[in-house]
Amino acid sequence: MLHQIQEIDTRIFLTLNGLHTPWADTIMYWVTQRNTWIPLYALLIVWLIWKYNQRAAGMIGALILTIVIADQTASGLLKPFFERLRPCHVLYLQDKLHLVVEDCGGRYGFASSHAANSFGLAMALYLLVGKKYPWITWFFFPWAVAVSYSRIYVGVHYPFDVVVGACIGAAAAWIAVKSVERILRLRKKLA
């Protein structure tokens, strides 16, 4: 059963990774880079502080907790446990894949930390402010999809790595936001 899943995942990966063009290579190279998004994160923090003043501290705390949970679950727990090689480290795929980045990353790819972190951020923002500011949801979920897809496009993750990473991120956001909300309610009661 696992062999069949791996086979299907590899076929889907090769199809998606094979849909490349020089102009998309450039875009996906920048989309997949973590440092590309630092200005967006800084702008988001400034916006939260501007809109929510003191309440922003709890929201930013929930976002940080989301990323810590998502990233550590994907990278610290699942990757070393499952030891599933990234496609760019699989020898028989070397002549079939289109590798856009210079550095393939660590040996193991299950689950994608990029997908976990980006979907975690999108879900946390939805839970925190998405009802009041729907544009946040309309921006950050497609952004998370683009970041996640870029990992397949550049040749460093299988689709299943990305899907599981996205689920981890969404779950991490729910846990983090609900935990911070409970802590803040408890603190308010005790004050």
Side-chain angles (χ1 to χ4, degrees):
M1 177 73 168
L2 286 176
H3 179 70
Q4 289 171 326
I5 293 171
Q6 175 68 34
E7 216 173 276
I8 293 167
D9 207 19
T10 300
R11 268 191 258 134
I12 295 170
F13 165 77
L14 289 172
T15 300
L16 294 174
N17 179 257
L19 302 172
H20 58 85
T21 62
W23 64 268
D25 285 0
T26 302
I27 292 170
M28 288 299 175
Y29 175 84
W30 290 107
V31 168
T32 208
Q33 300 298 318
R34 290 178 195 251
N35 292 343
T36 299
W37 303 109
I38 290 173
L40 175 67
Y41 306 145
L43 189 62
L44 176 63
I45 290 169
V46 168
W47 182 80
L48 286 171
I49 293 168
W50 176 61
K51 284 291 184 184
Y52 290 97
N53 299 317
Q54 292 176 335
R55 287 183 44 216
M59 294 174 163
I60 294 166
L63 295 175
I64 292 169
L65 184 58
T66 296
I67 301 305
V68 168
I69 293 169
D71 196 65
Q72 287 306 302
T73 301
S75 291
L77 183 66
L78 295 181
K79 285 178 184 174
F81 181 79
F82 287 101
E83 296 184 343
R84 182 184 191 199
L85 292 176
R86 291 176 184 266
C88 48
H89 288 305
V90 175
L91 290 177
Y92 76 89
L93 292 178
Q94 295 302 306
D95 61 337
K96 297 176 185 167
L97 67 84
H98 179 69
L99 190 62
V100 176
V101 292
E102 311 83 39
D103 182 22
C104 182
R107 270 181 79 70
Y108 307 122
F110 180 78
S112 169
S113 297
H114 276 70
N117 295 338
S118 59
F119 270 93
L121 181 63
M123 179 60 86
L125 287 169
Y126 167 74
L127 294 170
L128 291 166
V129 299
K131 289 182 178 92
K132 187 171 182 180
Y133 298 102
W135 64 267
I136 288 275
T137 303
W138 290 109
F139 176 81
F140 276 96
F141 277 105
W143 166 80
V145 169
V147 169
S148 299
Y149 174 71
S150 76
R151 304 306 285 165
I152 300 165
Y153 185 96
V154 301
V156 298
H157 278 293
Y158 292 102
F160 193 63
D161 299 345
V162 168
V163 170
V164 172
C167 293
I168 289 167
W174 189 87
I175 291 165
V177 169
K178 296 304 174 189
S179 298
V180 169
E181 286 174 350
R182 282 193 181 132
I183 291 167
L184 292 176
R185 275 196 305 268
L186 182 62
R187 201 172 106 193
K188 203 173 186 179
K189 278 184 184 177
L190 295 174

